[in-house]
Amino acid sequence: MNVFIIGVGLIGGSFAIDIKAAFNDAKIFGIDGNPEHLENSVSLGFIDHASDFDQLDQADVVIIAIPVDATVKVLPQVLDQINDDCLVFDVGSTKKKLCKTVEDHPKRRNYLAVHPIAGTEFSGPKAAIANLYRGKTNIICEVEKTAFKLQEKGMEIFSRLGMRIRYMDPVSHDKHIAYVSHLSHISSFMLGKTIIEKEKNERDIFDMAGSGFASTVRLAKSSPAMWAPIFKQNKENVIETLQEYITNLNQFKELMENDKFDQIYQEMENTNYIKTILKGIS
Amino acid sequence: MNVFIIGVGLIGGSFAIDIKAAFNDAKIFGIDGNPEHLENSVSLGFIDHASDFDQLDQADVVIIAIPVDATVKVLPQVLDQINDDCLVFDVGSTKKKLCKTVEDHPKRRNYLAVHPIAGTEFSGPKAAIANLYRGKTNIICEVEKTAFKLQEKGMEIFSRLGMRIRYMDPVSHDKHIAYVSHLSHISSFMLGKTIIEKEKNERDIFDMAGSGFASTVRLAKSSPAMWAPIFKQNKENVIETLQEYITNLNQFKELMENDKFDQIYQEMENTNYIKTILKGIS
């Protein structure tokens, strides 16, 4: 099985590691615009051959793991070049624009729209790890538009990697993921910004920061190259979630200004319900 | 050494565990308004004797580990009852009001104002753990107002528990801790609220939430009984930090509305500087 991975960073590299481990016959080919990343992924051992777009006709599976703006450009080109039995899937955090882009492509049936809910705040091939996807949710959009045999090929990979499958339409996907993922990133980035601005002349202050702060601001380490295109593609949904978040923060501030600390207590107690929701997410 | 712990929850209980391990001669007495907590702490083994305020004259050390509004009431009563060689310290997340409250108390020299930057999002005696304080920063305010011999007694405990000491005046403490701790809790609580409100009719959606969301919203599990009084006591500083955070979020939203995604990229890249700051905080 020839697996071509376009983008050998955290996500693509972690797929390479697990597919090599799960499929004896897998040969992994890497394609990356950054020669240093490609070199690193070969010397780290999870890519067998540095490759390029010209060789895509030899692929049984192509995984596109690059920022979502680049994926929109690259996916149609990949579909143009693959053979009829090749499965192509992307792993991006937005799905609507991409599905729209290829809806009339003659090889639409070779494409599966995939979003594995997995990652870390790190990036690049050195961030790739084994078992990143084990136990994680994998959202598949418009599954009915993919050829049945190629759906099966995808499921075999996701199943051996230990993922749980959820089906969803791309519009719902983009709407809900704005709440449970994209908004968290903005809240974290702006928290980091607020504190860096305020405390820039007081380096010692960060001795006061504990694990709670580290946890809340962790996502502010994330890659701008990955996240700016996500916010752009999911602009309307993200703006809506952000407005609701700002409204809630303003209400909290007003409660404080008016000394309504009983209501603040109540707000927090209600939100403790998040414990139930988080059960099972680590 | 008779150590009285007022409030046998996560913080007080974790002190009990480590002090028992570090001092062979330590006898730990627990005082708690909640009889069930007191019972649990005895059966968990980190409190040797359930006790009450009448016995405080036998104390060599008193640790007050209760919400900050209760501490303001309890600290003067404790100071009234202890003997002259007894060290009293609290562990609250606000320091200005407390230091002000006891500034003219005849036993002010027996009190050390302490804030260990340690904890988890859990609470109660069952949340108490060993080594919670190892490698953590311990902020001490107005150290010069505490009797030298009692400073030494405190340092011996903090040193054996593995803490790093930082000295700070209470006004600066409350101002900076608003940024690196109190604001994180509000951002997390309001993130949890926004998502619970939006998704209350769509339970399945939480399958889409990954480790990034879990990390960002972790502090929303925190105890309202602990946090409402902190926000009340540090009202002015917290409102100021919250306003700056809201301003930054509004600016981000405006950049999105005006399609300034290059600037959004730049904002995020600048904030990636948080990586440097977080080094060493786990």
Side-chain angles (χ1 to χ4, degrees), chain A residues 166 199 207 215 243 253, chain B residues 166 176 207 215 243 253:
Chain A
R166 292 287 179 274
E199 303 287 9
D207 278 348
S215 172
Q243 184 51 59
K253 187 165 77 78
Chain B
R166 294 287 179 274
H176 293 300
D207 278 347
S215 171
Q243 183 51 59
K253 186 164 77 78

Side-chain angles (χ1 to χ4, degrees), chain B residues 35-210:
Chain B
E36 199 188 323
H37 278 193
L38 202 50
E39 225 167 82
N40 282 340
S41 67
V42 172
S43 63
L44 286 162
F46 59 75
I47 296 294
D48 299 312
H49 309 283
S51 185
D52 57 46
F53 282 80
D54 294 341
Q55 298 186 292
L56 281 174
D57 59 335
Q58 297 165 40
D60 298 304
V61 177
V62 180
I63 303 175
I64 305 178
I66 54 182
V68 294
D69 53 341
T71 305
V72 169
K73 290 175 199 150
V74 163
L75 176 59
Q77 297 166 14
V78 170
L79 291 176
D80 288 343
Q81 283 183 263
I82 53 162
N83 68 62
D84 281 347
D85 299 321
C86 177
L87 167 70
V88 179
F89 67 89
D90 81 302
V91 294
S93 190
T94 49
K95 284 282 153 290
K96 187 179 141 193
K97 184 163 183 186
L98 198 54
C99 286
K100 186 80 190 160
T101 301
V102 295
E103 68 178 344
D104 297 322
H105 195 287
K107 289 228 182 84
R108 172 64 185 87
R109 59 186 285 287
N110 292 72
Y111 167 61
L112 191 64
V114 170
H115 181 196
I117 310 293
T120 71
E121 68 275 29
F122 305 112
S123 47
K126 288 174 184 171
I129 49 175
N131 291 314
L132 178 63
Y133 303 106
R134 189 151 306 276
K136 303 293 166 56
T137 298
N138 195 22
I139 301 169
I140 297 182
C141 295
E142 297 191 332
V143 67
E144 68 286 354
K145 296 196 177 176
T146 306
F148 186 68
K149 279 182 89 165
L150 299 179
Q151 289 178 30
E152 278 187 322
K153 195 191 271 192
M155 291 310 153
E156 184 62 28
I157 294 172
F158 306 140
S159 156
R160 290 206 197 175
L161 266 54
M163 309 186 85
R164 307 182 317 161
I165 306 297
R166 294 287 179 274
Y167 299 99
M168 192 173 267
D169 72 274
V171 172
S172 299
H173 169 276
D174 285 12
K175 178 170 166 257
H176 293 300
I177 204 74
Y179 281 92
V180 296
S181 167
H182 302 175
L183 179 59
S184 303
H185 283 78
I186 297 174
S187 86
S188 195
F189 267 111
M190 290 302 100
L191 186 65
K193 183 187 176 185
T194 304
I195 288 154
I196 289 170
E197 278 180 347
K198 190 63 188 184
E199 303 288 10
K200 62 188 160 197
N201 299 320
E202 316 227 24
R203 298 289 300 271
D204 286 353
I205 297 314
F206 292 105
D207 278 347
M208 298 175 77

Side-chain angles (χ1 to χ4, degrees), chain A residues 1 3 5 15-16 19-20 26-30 46-49:
Chain A
M1 183 169 74
V3 180
I5 296 184
F15 264 109
I19 289 174
K20 271 178 88 75
K27 274 190 224 163
I28 316 280
F29 299 76
F46 60 74
I47 296 293
D48 299 311
H49 309 283

